[in-house]
Amino acid sequence: MSNFILEITDLNQQGQGVGRLDGQVVFVEGAIPGDAVRVDILSRARHYAVATVAELLRPSPDRVTPFCPVAERCGGCALQPMAYPAQLAHKRRHVVELLQRIGRLPEADALVRPVLGMAEPFAYRCKIQFPIRGTVDQPEIGFYARRSHDVVDSTTCAVGHPVGDRVRAVIRRYIQQFKVRPYDEATHSGSLRHLVVRVGHSTGQVMVMLVSRTNDLPGRDWLKAELTHAIATSVPGPACPAYPASLVPSGLAARSASGSDAVEYALTTLVLNLQPARTNVILGRQTETWYGPGWIEDRLLGLTFRISPLSFFQVNPRQTEVLYQLAIDRLALKPGETCLDLYCGTGTIALALARSVQDQLAASDTQAHDQPIRVTGVESVAPAIADARINAAQNGLEAVEFVVAEAETWLPDAVARGAIHPTAAVIDPPRRGCDDALLATLTQIQLERLVYVSCNPATLARDLERLSAAYSVVSVQPVDLFPWTDSVECVCLLVRREIKQ
């Protein structure tokens, strides 16, 4: 290993520090902008090198002590050495740079607004996925190490909902008491692969899901009883005493009006998911309910949503309300318009839009049932659409319909058949972004407004470059759904070029 001194000037998309050595880019694990470090080069490629910090010579003014004892090894929170305000500033710069370089938007700096962060960036994850490894006597339940499938065992996580820590303590005892073998990835043997915990932030309902290679797990009654007791006696709270309050500025984002720290938590459902395949995909297709209805409910934006084991639902409810309200406000849907919600999941945005239309119809003394369907949600995961339809019924929303289909297949076909004539749309694709066929159709149909909700600014930038043939970007609002990580969400408003104000 060679020893060199570097000045760190940036972060890459994986949260690694970026420096230069003789003109070559060097990615340094654990370094942040402003650090001066002595590094050991681990590997070299043609255009870059990878290094590790051998000595911190001069810390960045933004460097802080990580609040998690396993932060240096755990792959969950790469930005813990960086003060939270500096993280938000970095994420905005990152979005601007990608929009300029990939999206070919030279005006990006004027379009991208300051990132909306959290006033209390702790205990926000209400869905937690713990990989399980180790042995019967010493199970490992934590998170993967950075760029590895080695599990970093731990007992607490300050960014996860505290109910998750209570649950994993029970699962640790369960493995030891009933001699349940953790999964061995190398030999594809053992049983328990993952523990998934979903918490209703506003309802207190808790889903515990065991992901197993086999379905012969013992001790169901014991497990239900222990989980029930542990969850009912937990006392969650968002604060992290180990982190200086002075480094978490107030007023970064309003707390959710529907959330409450006084919620009573209870085990609502316990399920087993079978994943017998030799794969990195966490969940299998078969789920067996051991206790409860097989789902939980939570509330967002005044609406109640059913969440099934395989359904997508944002993991940070407090910031999700900020994110989705931005999308609704940007879209500004009016009665008489038709709107698409592509990649709609359990229908959160579609239902909030439908309520907006329904409220406007009621205010204008027009009966909702006399109007045609105004919002169409499209999602490829059938259980999510089943939940969406139930969610529409239990919230009394009629101005909405849901379709089980791949958005990139359904939209071109529906347009070709003349089956739809939307005036507005919202798209919330996975990290890979939008399919070429979908982007081509979006440029062809006569949408007045398009809101793109993105969890990956790189693919957002790529897709905006393609959409620029028909649309102008009006604004980009980043939202920090995952503090202490390199991730950032964006709500982008586009309008047809010929109608731009």
Side-chain angles (χ1 to χ4, degrees), residues 8 19 31 60 145 151 176 188-189 203 247 316 385 401 445 479 493:
I8 305 301
S60 165
V151 173
Q176 294 168 335
H188 191 52
S189 61
T203 62
L247 295 177
N316 184 343
I385 289 296
E401 67 177 354
I445 60 178
V479 181
L493 173 63

Side-chain angles (χ1 to χ4, degrees), residues 84-309:
Y84 190 54
Q87 293 177 41
L88 300 181
H90 159 71
K91 291 181 180 184
R92 182 187 178 279
R93 287 195 303 271
H94 180 60
V95 172
V96 169
E97 188 273 330
L98 289 171
L99 292 181
Q100 290 174 336
R101 179 169 54 86
I102 300 175
R104 300 182 182 179
L105 280 171
E107 69 276 27
D109 191 46
L111 294 173
V112 179
R113 301 181 179 184
V115 180
L116 295 177
M118 299 187 71
E120 295 174 324
F122 303 101
Y124 63 79
R125 289 194 70 103
C126 286
K127 179 184 178 184
I128 314 167
Q129 299 180 151
F130 298 107
I132 302 174
R133 299 293 185 268
T135 66
V136 166
D137 294 327
Q138 292 185 316
E140 298 170 352
I141 308 176
F143 299 100
Y144 288 130
R146 295 176 189 174
R147 280 163 280 283
S148 166
H149 270 207
D150 295 335
V151 173
V152 178
D153 190 29
S154 60
T155 58
T156 60
C157 176
V159 301
H161 197 290
V163 163
D165 292 333
R166 293 296 186 106
V167 170
R168 73 164 144 177
V170 172
I171 300 304
R172 195 183 302 274
R173 297 200 309 272
Y174 168 71
I175 291 171
Q176 294 168 335
Q177 179 156 333
F178 289 90
K179 308 300 180 185
V180 178
R181 288 182 59 203
Y183 180 66
D184 187 317
E185 191 174 53
T187 61
H188 191 52
S189 61
S191 295
L192 277 186
R193 303 175 67 136
H194 276 81
L195 163 66
V196 182
V197 183
R198 303 185 86 152
V199 183
H201 172 70
S202 296
T203 62
Q205 297 181 16
V206 178
M207 175 191 295
V208 175
M209 177 163 54
L210 300 180
V211 183
S212 178
R213 189 182 66 87
T214 65
N215 64 355
D216 56 351
L217 299 183
R220 299 186 188 186
D221 291 340
W222 181 95
L223 189 57
K224 172 188 172 292
E226 290 295 310
L227 287 170
T228 298
H229 175 72
I231 293 170
T233 56
S234 62
V235 185
C240 182
Y243 197 74
S246 60
L247 295 177
V248 184
S250 61
L252 291 172
R255 287 290 301 272
S256 162
S258 65
S260 171
D261 294 332
V263 172
E264 294 184 2
Y265 296 91
L267 177 67
T268 302
T269 198
L270 173 62
V271 298
L272 172 68
N273 177 268
L274 287 177
Q275 178 52 288
R278 194 164 194 164
T279 176
N280 290 333
V281 177
I282 294 176
L283 300 181
R285 296 182 179 180
Q286 183 179 348
T287 298
E288 177 184 351
T289 301
W290 282 4
Y291 167 73
W295 42 265
I296 62 171
E297 290 182 336
D298 205 1
R299 290 190 290 272
L300 285 176
L301 299 173
L303 299 171
T304 300
F305 295 93
R306 176 181 291 194
I307 310 166
S308 296

Side-chain angles (χ1 to χ4, degrees), residues 272-428:
L272 172 68
N273 177 268
L274 287 177
Q275 178 52 288
R278 194 164 194 164
T279 176
N280 290 333
V281 177
I282 294 176
L283 300 181
R285 296 182 179 180
Q286 183 179 348
T287 298
E288 177 184 351
T289 301
W290 282 4
Y291 167 73
W295 42 265
I296 62 171
E297 290 182 336
D298 205 1
R299 290 190 290 272
L300 285 176
L301 299 173
L303 299 171
T304 300
F305 295 93
R306 176 181 291 194
I307 310 166
S308 296
L310 302 183
S311 296
F312 173 78
F313 198 80
Q314 291 280 9
V315 306
N316 184 343
R318 284 181 274 166
Q319 288 292 83
T320 298
E321 290 199 331
V322 174
L323 184 79
Y324 288 171
Q325 190 62 58
L326 281 167
I328 294 163
D329 292 344
R330 298 292 190 269
L331 210 56
L333 201 61
K334 299 293 190 297
E337 290 193 276
T338 55
C339 180
L340 302 177
D341 179 7
L342 305 179
Y343 310 99
C344 70
T346 54
T348 43
I349 298 178
L351 293 174
L353 288 168
R355 186 184 64 174
S356 171
V357 171
Q358 196 160 297
D359 289 348
Q360 292 180 64
L361 291 171
S364 63
D365 296 323
T366 303
Q367 294 299 313
H369 59 74
D370 292 334
Q371 299 293 318
I373 294 295
R374 296 304 180 191
V375 183
T376 300
V378 182
E379 169 62 53
S380 62
V381 179
I385 289 296
D387 284 348
R389 289 168 177 159
I390 291 170
N391 292 335
Q394 71 180 6
N395 286 288
L397 297 172
E398 299 176 0
V400 63
E401 67 177 354
F402 292 100
V403 179
V404 180
E406 298 278 353
E408 42 276 302
T409 303
W410 177 86
L411 183 62
D413 177 69
V415 170
R417 291 186 290 106
I420 59 170
H421 301 281
T423 56
V426 57
I427 54 176
D428 188 2

